[in-house]
Every structure is written in structure tokens, then in C-alpha cells.
Amino acid sequence: MQCAVGRAEEMNKVRLKICGLKRACDVSLCYELGVDIAGFVTEYPLPVPWNLTAEEAESLLAGVCAPMKRCIVTGGTRDKIIALAEDLHPDYVQLHYHETLSDAEYIAGALRTLNIGVVKTLPFSPRERLAQFGTENIRECVGFLNATGIRAILADTRVPSNAARQGTPADIGLFRQIKGYAQKPVILAGGVTPDNLTQYLSSAQPDIIDIMTGVEESPGVKDREKLEFVVKHIR
């Protein structure tokens, strides 16, 4: 992919992440439209339609031009995640499996010297929060994350148990609680589509909005019209 020269980076109130990218043409489309962060599901521990091998991800990551940032979405052991990040050197690593609070802190510390930021998922599911944070309480979970070296918090309806399904609607009330306690950027994900985008933006007021299936024709195949609509309404 050829990088255009002179495209100015816009100062946007809400940044846009498009996830589940699998094709070079869709990476180019995201760049053309001014998407802020390109997301690649890489070596995810469960079989999901968007999963890439490290080699496939490396090829696509090479096509991401500044100012668009690169994020790999993965999970597993600390050593596996750190090694993958060291090999691919994205801008961000999004922890989206069963990683605990201590895992997130350890990984963030290990990647800090490489200037790779860590995004930790804070699940909407109380059971997942209890397993990962030792408590279901939103205020306590966010407080723990505020004290870590992660870069951003992802509030998502997608968890390992439903990872392969279409996104389910986000709990906006819960998201607003998370954002109210957070001292770091908060990302909203889960069931975001062109149909509900305006409502989500006005009611949730996220720092970053993360869309995957909501702009797809089929898993990993992005729809230009949907992407154009999303970018226009976020800008």
C-alpha cells in the first residue's frame, strides 16, 4: 500500500477504531477515510472468523501508514502476548481473553520500553469481571485499572464465551459508570452499527468507539458505504 503524502491528522473529539481487518484493501480504505486505529485479531486463543496468524498480521500491519495507529487484539499467557508484541511491534495490544489485572500490569510494564500501549478489556459481564478482577464492582474494577500502566480501558459486550458471534448491544448506563470513574480513555464496543451510532455517541460520549461487525458485509469483509457513514457521523 502506498502512503499518501500530506494527509493532515484531524483533531477529533471521538476517535474511531475499526477492528477485525483481514484484507489489505480494507486497511487502505480505513486509511483513505481517516480511521484512527486499525485493529487486527491476531493469534486469538479461540476460533473466531477474524483471526489472523502472526505472519498474516505482520503483512497487514506493514500496510498501515501514519497517522493511523495499529492494534493487535489477542489473548493468552503473558509470555505469548509479550513475544507476539515484540515480533509485530504494533502501537497497541488489546487484551481480550481471560487476562487478569495482574497480567495486564505485567504486560504493560514489559512493553513500556517498546512504546507499545496496552488496552485492557473491562467486560460488561459480572462473571467475567469477578474472574479477572476479583470483584464485580465497577468502581473497584475501574479504580484498579486507573492504578496500572495501561493506556486505555475497553468496555465491551464481547467476551470469550461469545467471541465468534455478532456484537450484542452495549449497556450504555454501565458504560457511563465506567467512564465516570475512569482516569484513562474509555473505548466503547459491542453492537455498534450505522443505525445506532448517533444514539451511542450522544448517550455514551466515548473517547474512542470500536466497530467490527457493524461495518461488515461478512466476517472480515468491510462495507465501504457503512464505513463512510460511520466516519462522516463521527467527524
Side-chain angles (χ1 to χ4, degrees):
M1 167 180 150
Q2 296 295 316
C3 295
V5 177
R7 183 169 80 92
E9 183 172 11
E10 301 175 21
M11 298 300 292
N12 305 306
K13 183 176 180 181
V14 180
R15 286 180 286 165
L16 173 63
K17 175 172 175 273
I18 296 297
C19 201
L21 292 163
K22 294 190 71 176
R23 307 189 304 168
C25 62
D26 288 333
V27 175
S28 298
L29 176 60
C30 287
Y31 177 80
E32 173 192 336
L33 295 178
V35 170
D36 300 289
I37 305 169
F40 305 89
V41 181
T42 307
E43 301 285 353
Y44 192 71
L46 297 175
V48 295
W50 308 274
N51 215 359
L52 301 167
T53 65
E55 292 75 19
E56 290 169 334
E58 183 176 28
S59 176
L60 291 172
L61 286 163
V64 177
C65 298
M68 192 162 70
K69 302 296 185 181
R70 313 180 305 163
C71 178
I72 61 170
V73 180
T74 192
T77 67
R78 297 176 178 185
D79 289 345
K80 174 244 181 168
I81 292 168
I82 292 168
L84 188 64
E86 289 174 341
D87 288 343
L88 299 180
H89 212 287
D91 296 290
Y92 305 105
V93 172
Q94 180 176 309
L95 305 179
H96 212 298
Y97 190 49
H98 294 303
E99 294 77 30
T100 64
L101 183 69
S102 61
D103 290 333
E105 177 70 352
Y106 183 90
I107 293 166
L111 298 182
R112 190 172 296 118
T113 57
L114 298 176
N115 198 29
I116 298 174
V118 169
V119 177
K120 175 68 178 88
T121 304
L122 177 55
F124 284 125
S125 163
R127 179 179 296 180
E128 288 288 342
R129 292 199 299 274
L130 181 61
Q132 296 179 26
F133 293 85
T135 177
E136 298 178 7
N137 185 276
I138 289 293
R139 185 170 190 167
E140 291 179 358
C141 290
V142 177
F144 292 150
L145 290 170
N146 286 337
T148 70
I150 68 165
R151 296 274 184 88
I153 299 167
L154 174 69
D156 195 359
T157 55
R158 192 181 299 276
V159 293
S161 61
N162 68 3
R165 300 180 207 159
Q166 295 287 324
T168 55
D171 183 331
I172 299 301
L174 192 57
F175 178 87
R176 289 176 66 87
Q177 287 184 53
I178 294 169
K179 192 169 187 295
Y181 297 133
Q183 298 171 6
K184 300 174 184 289
V186 184
I187 307 168
L188 174 65
V192 185
T193 70
D195 292 334
N196 61 26
L197 176 66
T198 301
Q199 175 192 350
Y200 275 26
L201 288 172
S202 62
S203 59
Q205 299 183 341
D207 299 300
I208 304 169
I209 199 156
D210 187 341
I211 308 178
M212 185 164 67
T213 60
V215 291
E216 288 187 332
E217 297 176 12
S218 59
V221 178
K222 304 307 182 189
D223 182 291
R224 184 183 186 98
E225 285 189 12
K226 292 178 181 178
L227 267 171
E228 287 177 339
F229 180 93
V230 166
V231 171
K232 176 182 177 181
H233 283 74
I234 286 181
R235 297 295 180 255

